[in-house]
Amino acid sequence: MPFFSIHFVMIFGSLCLAWGLRYGWQNGDNVALPRGWQMRWQKALVCFALPPLLVIMTAIAVLCMGSEGQMIGLQAGRLSYAIALIFLIYSIFRVGQLALNGWQSLQKLQALVGDSLDVNPVKQSMRLLNMPMLFAAQIGFWRSHLYVSQGLLDSLDADHLEAVLLHERAHAHYRDTFWFFWLGALRQVMPWLPNTQALWEELLLLRELRADRWAAQYADGLLLAESLLAMVSSNIHPTQTFAAAFGATNTSDRLEERVNFLLAEPEPLPQFSWRSLFWIGFSLLPLAVLPLHY
């Protein structure tokens, strides 16, 4: 059983490429918003998603090839085949663990739910939480639900409350809870890649900026900024697994960037980019070599 097998070459090569792609990313905090808005989204998303997807697809390709046969003159190897299998089992376990933790947090939150209310400003039903803290978040998977606290309803006037709810409506519009669950799963599977945490925080910030910008189409930016400052003073933060919350700002620098963005001249929202899809599609390249295996 040769150690230097075609499977080993593929796995080692994908790991090196994944490491290099992540290591080459530079934080986009110095990119002026909104001039670099679209490029910042594309760069952060591709650098975050492509490396782990490339390794996962390589492991799937190795599994499909099996432990026997050869390709381009190199034999397949049982050891590297076993490594790929163990990695895929580990990945499934980590995704399942993330989903379970999110479900358990959701069940705990359900214990605090009171009556369901209809919110006229955004034509959306919301679930009332019996707590005095200021809280509003979209929580769920594909079809998320709006959760708000009694403290939020008691503390904000109608205009500021509408601004908060519009921001949360933006999260529902973009289905942020669904997409960020899978991005979070990639983060859990390979957290040791370079810049994982920095890229994750960048994507979370860009998600909130996008929701802020969407809400600014229907509410004044100053109202949104004032509502944000009120929300971040609360000391409750939902699990990030199935949640997207208006006040989810980790540092004062991020808060300042969001406030400045809301007070600046509004610019077009980032659009779907085929370029990003094209680059992420490179993760499927390991599957393209399957016909060469025999």
Side-chain angles (χ1 to χ4, degrees), residues 242-282:
F242 294 128
F246 185 40
T249 301
N250 295 332
T251 66
S252 58
D253 291 340
R254 299 293 190 179
L255 174 60
E256 182 179 359
E257 185 169 1
R258 285 186 64 185
V259 170
N260 290 337
F261 181 72
L262 285 167
L263 297 180
E265 288 294 325
E267 294 290 335
L269 285 162
Q271 302 298 319
F272 174 78
S273 172
W274 287 103
R275 181 181 297 180
S276 298
L277 192 61
F278 172 78
W279 283 109
I280 293 176
F282 272 104

Side-chain angles (χ1 to χ4, degrees), residues 28 71 73 124 133 219 227 241 276:
M71 187 175 71
Q124 186 178 6
M133 303 168 186
S227 302
T241 306
S276 298

Side-chain angles (χ1 to χ4, degrees), residues 213-234:
R213 176 64 191 90
W214 190 93
Q217 297 176 109
Y218 310 101
D220 182 68
L222 180 59
L223 280 175
L224 284 161
E226 292 172 348
S227 302
L228 174 61
L229 292 174
M231 292 291 293
V232 296
S233 63
S234 176

Side-chain angles (χ1 to χ4, degrees), residues 56-75:
I56 291 171
M57 290 302 171
T58 301
I60 292 174
V62 169
L63 202 65
C64 292
M65 291 178 184
S67 59
E68 305 294 337
Q70 60 178 320
M71 187 175 71
I72 60 173
L74 292 176
Q75 289 291 128

Side-chain angles (χ1 to χ4, degrees), residues 25-33 40 43 202 254 257:
W25 178 80
Q26 294 181 353
N27 195 302
D29 286 345
N30 58 346
V31 179
L33 280 176
R40 189 171 172 180
K43 187 176 181 180
E202 173 79 350
R254 299 293 190 179
E257 185 169 1

